[in-house]
PDB file of all heavy atoms in Angstrom:
ATOM      1  N   LEU A 140     103.675  76.265  79.604  1.00 97.00           N
ATOM      2  CA  LEU A 140     104.063  75.728  80.899  1.00 97.00           C
ATOM      3  C   LEU A 140     103.496  74.314  81.019  1.00 97.00           C
ATOM      4  O   LEU A 140     102.387  74.070  80.603  1.00 97.00           O
ATOM      5  CB  LEU A 140     103.581  76.594  82.075  1.00 97.00           C
ATOM      6  CG  LEU A 140     104.113  78.036  82.167  1.00 97.00           C
ATOM      7  CD1 LEU A 140     103.684  78.684  83.465  1.00 97.00           C
ATOM      8  CD2 LEU A 140     105.610  78.073  82.038  1.00 97.00           C
ATOM      9  N   SER A 141     104.217  73.435  81.680  1.00 97.00           N
ATOM     10  CA  SER A 141     103.741  72.089  81.970  1.00 97.00           C
ATOM     11  C   SER A 141     102.776  72.178  83.161  1.00 97.00           C
ATOM     12  O   SER A 141     102.677  73.173  83.873  1.00 97.00           O
ATOM     13  CB  SER A 141     104.902  71.206  82.349  1.00 97.00           C
ATOM     14  OG  SER A 141     105.497  71.690  83.565  1.00 97.00           O
ATOM     15  N   ALA A 142     101.970  71.112  83.333  1.00 98.00           N
ATOM     16  CA  ALA A 142     101.125  71.022  84.540  1.00 98.00           C
ATOM     17  C   ALA A 142     101.962  71.186  85.782  1.00 98.00           C
ATOM     18  O   ALA A 142     101.501  71.745  86.810  1.00 98.00           O
ATOM     19  CB  ALA A 142     100.304  69.752  84.529  1.00 98.00           C
ATOM     20  N   ALA A 143     103.192  70.631  85.778  1.00 97.00           N
ATOM     21  CA  ALA A 143     104.057  70.753  86.914  1.00 97.00           C
ATOM     22  C   ALA A 143     104.376  72.207  87.257  1.00 97.00           C
ATOM     23  O   ALA A 143     104.321  72.608  88.391  1.00 97.00           O
ATOM     24  CB  ALA A 143     105.379  69.963  86.685  1.00 97.00           C
ATOM     25  N   ALA A 144     104.704  72.972  86.179  1.00 97.00           N
ATOM     26  CA  ALA A 144     105.002  74.409  86.398  1.00 97.00           C
ATOM     27  C   ALA A 144     103.798  75.203  86.886  1.00 97.00           C
ATOM     28  O   ALA A 144     103.927  76.168  87.630  1.00 97.00           O
ATOM     29  CB  ALA A 144     105.589  75.013  85.124  1.00 97.00           C
ATOM     30  N   ILE A 145     102.606  74.807  86.461  1.00 98.00           N
ATOM     31  CA  ILE A 145     101.372  75.453  86.910  1.00 98.00           C
ATOM     32  C   ILE A 145     101.100  75.141  88.305  1.00 98.00           C
ATOM     33  O   ILE A 145     100.882  76.048  89.182  1.00 98.00           O
ATOM     34  CB  ILE A 145     100.167  75.065  86.016  1.00 98.00           C
ATOM     35  CG1 ILE A 145     100.385  75.560  84.542  1.00 98.00           C
ATOM     36  CG2 ILE A 145      98.866  75.671  86.558  1.00 98.00           C
ATOM     37  CD1 ILE A 145      99.371  75.031  83.561  1.00 98.00           C
ATOM     38  N   ILE A 146     101.110  73.887  88.683  1.00 98.00           N
ATOM     39  CA  ILE A 146     100.794  73.444  90.064  1.00 98.00           C
ATOM     40  C   ILE A 146     101.901  73.952  90.998  1.00 98.00           C
ATOM     41  O   ILE A 146     101.608  74.258  92.194  1.00 98.00           O
ATOM     42  CB  ILE A 146     100.652  71.921  90.162  1.00 98.00           C
ATOM     43  CG1 ILE A 146      99.330  71.494  89.437  1.00 98.00           C
ATOM     44  CG2 ILE A 146     100.628  71.449  91.604  1.00 98.00           C
ATOM     45  CD1 ILE A 146      98.067  72.021  90.095  1.00 98.00           C
ATOM     46  N   ASN A 147     103.153  74.012  90.548  1.00 98.00           N
ATOM     47  CA  ASN A 147     104.246  74.523  91.386  1.00 98.00           C
ATOM     48  C   ASN A 147     103.916  75.923  91.872  1.00 98.00           C
ATOM     49  O   ASN A 147     104.253  76.290  93.026  1.00 98.00           O
ATOM     50  CB  ASN A 147     105.537  74.516  90.622  1.00 98.00           C
ATOM     51  CG  ASN A 147     106.694  74.949  91.464  1.00 98.00           C
ATOM     52  OD1 ASN A 147     107.058  74.307  92.463  1.00 98.00           O
ATOM     53  ND2 ASN A 147     107.273  76.093  91.126  1.00 98.00           N
ATOM     54  N   GLN A 148     103.319  76.755  90.987  1.00 98.00           N
ATOM     55  CA  GLN A 148     102.951  78.111  91.459  1.00 98.00           C
ATOM     56  C   GLN A 148     101.989  78.079  92.615  1.00 98.00           C
ATOM     57  O   GLN A 148     102.095  78.820  93.528  1.00 98.00           O
ATOM     58  CB  GLN A 148     102.329  78.875  90.266  1.00 98.00           C
ATOM     59  CG  GLN A 148     103.242  79.137  89.083  1.00 98.00           C
ATOM     60  CD  GLN A 148     102.457  79.709  87.891  1.00 98.00           C
ATOM     61  OE1 GLN A 148     101.987  80.796  87.951  1.00 98.00           O
ATOM     62  NE2 GLN A 148     102.382  78.914  86.842  1.00 98.00           N
ATOM     63  N   VAL A 149     101.020  77.132  92.549  1.00 98.00           N
ATOM     64  CA  VAL A 149     100.052  77.022  93.606  1.00 98.00           C
ATOM     65  C   VAL A 149     100.617  76.572  94.928  1.00 98.00           C
ATOM     66  O   VAL A 149     100.322  77.087  95.986  1.00 98.00           O
ATOM     67  CB  VAL A 149      98.890  76.066  93.217  1.00 98.00           C
ATOM     68  CG1 VAL A 149      97.825  75.967  94.256  1.00 98.00           C
ATOM     69  CG2 VAL A 149      98.297  76.491  91.867  1.00 98.00           C
ATOM     70  N   LEU A 150     101.520  75.553  94.836  1.00 98.00           N
ATOM     71  CA  LEU A 150     102.057  74.932  96.040  1.00 98.00           C
ATOM     72  C   LEU A 150     103.253  75.678  96.671  1.00 98.00           C
ATOM     73  O   LEU A 150     103.589  75.527  97.828  1.00 98.00           O
ATOM     74  CB  LEU A 150     102.443  73.489  95.779  1.00 98.00           C
ATOM     75  CG  LEU A 150     101.327  72.533  95.405  1.00 98.00           C
ATOM     76  CD1 LEU A 150     101.897  71.129  95.220  1.00 98.00           C
ATOM     77  CD2 LEU A 150     100.258  72.501  96.411  1.00 98.00           C
ATOM     78  N   SER A 151     103.927  76.476  95.856  1.00 97.00           N
ATOM     79  CA  SER A 151     105.226  77.053  96.274  1.00 97.00           C
ATOM     80  C   SER A 151     105.131  78.525  96.703  1.00 97.00           C
ATOM     81  O   SER A 151     106.172  79.070  97.155  1.00 97.00           O
ATOM     82  CB  SER A 151     106.259  76.862  95.186  1.00 97.00           C
ATOM     83  OG  SER A 151     106.505  75.490  94.987  1.00 97.00           O
ATOM     84  N   VAL A 152     103.994  79.185  96.565  1.00 97.00           N
ATOM     85  CA  VAL A 152     103.922  80.553  97.147  1.00 97.00           C
ATOM     86  C   VAL A 152     103.878  80.392  98.644  1.00 97.00           C
ATOM     87  O   VAL A 152     103.329  79.440  99.171  1.00 97.00           O
ATOM     88  CB  VAL A 152     102.692  81.348  96.594  1.00 97.00           C
ATOM     89  CG1 VAL A 152     102.811  81.627  95.126  1.00 97.00           C
ATOM     90  CG2 VAL A 152     101.383  80.611  96.913  1.00 97.00           C
ATOM     91  N   PRO A 153     104.445  81.339  99.409  1.00 96.00           N
ATOM     92  CA  PRO A 153     104.472  81.191 100.828  1.00 96.00           C
ATOM     93  C   PRO A 153     103.109  81.029 101.522  1.00 96.00           C
ATOM     94  O   PRO A 153     103.026  80.336 102.550  1.00 96.00           O
ATOM     95  CB  PRO A 153     105.199  82.479 101.306  1.00 96.00           C
ATOM     96  CG  PRO A 153     106.044  82.896 100.143  1.00 96.00           C
ATOM     97  CD  PRO A 153     105.232  82.479  98.925  1.00 96.00           C
ATOM     98  N   ASP A 154     102.102  81.671 100.953  1.00 95.00           N
ATOM     99  CA  ASP A 154     100.757  81.601 101.585  1.00 95.00           C
ATOM    100  C   ASP A 154      99.896  80.549 100.899  1.00 95.00           C
ATOM    101  O   ASP A 154      98.687  80.622 100.930  1.00 95.00           O
ATOM    102  CB  ASP A 154     100.111  82.943 101.476  1.00 95.00           C
ATOM    103  CG  ASP A 154     100.773  84.012 102.338  1.00 95.00           C
ATOM    104  OD1 ASP A 154     100.691  83.904 103.577  1.00 95.00           O
ATOM    105  OD2 ASP A 154     101.460  84.898 101.785  1.00 95.00           O
ATOM    106  N   SER A 155     100.501  79.482 100.329  1.00 97.00           N
ATOM    107  CA  SER A 155      99.778  78.496  99.574  1.00 97.00           C
ATOM    108  C   SER A 155      98.589  77.915 100.342  1.00 97.00           C
ATOM    109  O   SER A 155      97.475  77.814  99.783  1.00 97.00           O
ATOM    110  CB  SER A 155     100.721  77.363  99.202  1.00 97.00           C
ATOM    111  OG  SER A 155     100.052  76.307  98.586  1.00 97.00           O
ATOM    112  N   GLU A 156      98.760  77.581 101.592  1.00 95.00           N
ATOM    113  CA  GLU A 156      97.695  76.891 102.322  1.00 95.00           C
ATOM    114  C   GLU A 156      96.582  77.774 102.777  1.00 95.00           C
ATOM    115  O   GLU A 156      95.548  77.289 103.201  1.00 95.00           O
ATOM    116  CB  GLU A 156      98.325  76.140 103.514  1.00 95.00           C
ATOM    117  CG  GLU A 156      99.332  75.069 103.089  1.00 95.00           C
ATOM    118  CD  GLU A 156      99.638  74.042 104.150  1.00 95.00           C
ATOM    119  OE1 GLU A 156      98.686  73.612 104.842  1.00 95.00           O
ATOM    120  OE2 GLU A 156     100.766  73.677 104.303  1.00 95.00           O
ATOM    121  N   SER A 157      96.714  79.083 102.577  1.00 96.00           N
ATOM    122  CA  SER A 157      95.619  80.017 102.880  1.00 96.00           C
ATOM    123  C   SER A 157      94.816  80.404 101.673  1.00 96.00           C
ATOM    124  O   SER A 157      93.845  81.131 101.781  1.00 96.00           O
ATOM    125  CB  SER A 157      96.196  81.297 103.508  1.00 96.00           C
ATOM    126  OG  SER A 157      96.902  82.078 102.574  1.00 96.00           O
ATOM    127  N   LEU A 158      95.168  79.892 100.491  1.00 97.00           N
ATOM    128  CA  LEU A 158      94.462  80.252  99.256  1.00 97.00           C
ATOM    129  C   LEU A 158      93.002  79.834  99.326  1.00 97.00           C
ATOM    130  O   LEU A 158      92.681  78.705  99.705  1.00 97.00           O
ATOM    131  CB  LEU A 158      95.136  79.620  98.047  1.00 97.00           C
ATOM    132  CG  LEU A 158      96.541  80.082  97.706  1.00 97.00           C
ATOM    133  CD1 LEU A 158      97.104  79.303  96.537  1.00 97.00           C
ATOM    134  CD2 LEU A 158      96.582  81.566  97.442  1.00 97.00           C
ATOM    135  N   THR A 159      92.108  80.712  98.873  1.00 98.00           N
ATOM    136  CA  THR A 159      90.690  80.391  98.762  1.00 98.00           C
ATOM    137  C   THR A 159      90.243  80.304  97.326  1.00 98.00           C
ATOM    138  O   THR A 159      89.274  79.682  97.044  1.00 98.00           O
ATOM    139  CB  THR A 159      89.840  81.429  99.513  1.00 98.00           C
ATOM    140  OG1 THR A 159      90.036  82.708  98.914  1.00 98.00           O
ATOM    141  CG2 THR A 159      90.191  81.487 100.982  1.00 98.00           C
ATOM    142  N   ASN A 160      90.975  80.985  96.413  1.00 98.00           N
ATOM    143  CA  ASN A 160      90.556  81.040  95.028  1.00 98.00           C
ATOM    144  C   ASN A 160      91.762  81.023  94.133  1.00 98.00           C
ATOM    145  O   ASN A 160      92.854  81.458  94.510  1.00 98.00           O
ATOM    146  CB  ASN A 160      89.737  82.335  94.754  1.00 98.00           C
ATOM    147  CG  ASN A 160      88.456  82.385  95.500  1.00 98.00           C
ATOM    148  OD1 ASN A 160      88.472  82.795  96.672  1.00 98.00           O
ATOM    149  ND2 ASN A 160      87.373  81.937  94.933  1.00 98.00           N
ATOM    150  N   LEU A 161      91.566  80.508  92.919  1.00 98.00           N
ATOM    151  CA  LEU A 161      92.626  80.495  91.896  1.00 98.00           C
ATOM    152  C   LEU A 161      92.045  80.999  90.578  1.00 98.00           C
ATOM    153  O   LEU A 161      90.959  80.597  90.207  1.00 98.00           O
ATOM    154  CB  LEU A 161      93.127  79.052  91.727  1.00 98.00           C
ATOM    155  CG  LEU A 161      94.379  78.878  90.886  1.00 98.00           C
ATOM    156  CD1 LEU A 161      95.623  79.270  91.651  1.00 98.00           C
ATOM    157  CD2 LEU A 161      94.481  77.464  90.334  1.00 98.00           C
ATOM    158  N   VAL A 162      92.787  81.875  89.917  1.00 98.00           N
ATOM    159  CA  VAL A 162      92.372  82.386  88.639  1.00 98.00           C
ATOM    160  C   VAL A 162      93.446  82.178  87.621  1.00 98.00           C
ATOM    161  O   VAL A 162      94.651  82.504  87.831  1.00 98.00           O
ATOM    162  CB  VAL A 162      91.924  83.877  88.696  1.00 98.00           C
ATOM    163  CG1 VAL A 162      90.669  84.062  89.521  1.00 98.00           C
ATOM    164  CG2 VAL A 162      93.012  84.779  89.271  1.00 98.00           C
ATOM    165  N   PHE A 163      93.091  81.568  86.471  1.00 98.00           N
ATOM    166  CA  PHE A 163      94.029  81.460  85.368  1.00 98.00           C
ATOM    167  C   PHE A 163      93.915  82.787  84.575  1.00 98.00           C
ATOM    168  O   PHE A 163      93.294  82.844  83.498  1.00 98.00           O
ATOM    169  CB  PHE A 163      93.666  80.261  84.502  1.00 98.00           C
ATOM    170  CG  PHE A 163      94.048  78.897  85.109  1.00 98.00           C
ATOM    171  CD1 PHE A 163      93.198  78.295  86.012  1.00 98.00           C
ATOM    172  CD2 PHE A 163      95.230  78.328  84.748  1.00 98.00           C
ATOM    173  CE1 PHE A 163      93.549  77.064  86.541  1.00 98.00           C
ATOM    174  CE2 PHE A 163      95.589  77.082  85.270  1.00 98.00           C
ATOM    175  CZ  PHE A 163      94.773  76.471  86.182  1.00 98.00           C
ATOM    176  N   MET A 164      94.576  83.790  85.081  1.00 96.00           N
ATOM    177  CA  MET A 164      94.497  85.140  84.495  1.00 96.00           C
ATOM    178  C   MET A 164      95.888  85.775  84.458  1.00 96.00           C
ATOM    179  O   MET A 164      96.004  86.945  84.262  1.00 96.00           O
ATOM    180  CB  MET A 164      93.564  86.045  85.281  1.00 96.00           C
ATOM    181  CG  MET A 164      92.084  85.635  85.269  1.00 96.00           C
ATOM    182  SD  MET A 164      91.072  86.862  86.151  1.00 96.00           S
ATOM    183  CE  MET A 164      89.444  86.052  86.000  1.00 96.00           C
ATOM    184  N   GLY A 165      96.930  84.925  84.649  1.00 94.00           N
ATOM    185  CA  GLY A 165      98.273  85.437  84.566  1.00 94.00           C
ATOM    186  C   GLY A 165      98.754  85.459  83.168  1.00 94.00           C
ATOM    187  O   GLY A 165      98.026  85.706  82.193  1.00 94.00           O
ATOM    188  N   MET A 166     100.041  85.204  82.968  1.00 95.00           N
ATOM    189  CA  MET A 166     100.645  85.267  81.633  1.00 95.00           C
ATOM    190  C   MET A 166     100.137  84.121  80.763  1.00 95.00           C
ATOM    191  O   MET A 166      99.997  82.969  81.207  1.00 95.00           O
ATOM    192  CB  MET A 166     102.158  85.148  81.782  1.00 95.00           C
ATOM    193  CG  MET A 166     102.821  86.327  82.544  1.00 95.00           C
ATOM    194  SD  MET A 166     104.589  86.112  82.760  1.00 95.00           S
ATOM    195  CE  MET A 166     105.204  86.136  81.095  1.00 95.00           C
ATOM    196  N   GLY A 167      99.773  84.448  79.549  1.00 96.00           N
ATOM    197  CA  GLY A 167      99.355  83.450  78.588  1.00 96.00           C
ATOM    198  C   GLY A 167      97.884  83.264  78.438  1.00 96.00           C
ATOM    199  O   GLY A 167      97.077  83.800  79.181  1.00 96.00           O
TER     200      GLY A 167
END
Side-chain angles (χ1 to χ4, degrees):
L140 296 188
S141 65
I145 296 170
I146 290 296
N147 183 65
Q148 295 170 67
V149 181
L150 297 182
S151 295
V152 294
D154 294 289
S155 174
E156 297 199 40
S157 71
L158 294 176
T159 61
N160 297 86
L161 188 80
V162 293
F163 285 84
M164 295 183 182
M166 297 174 64

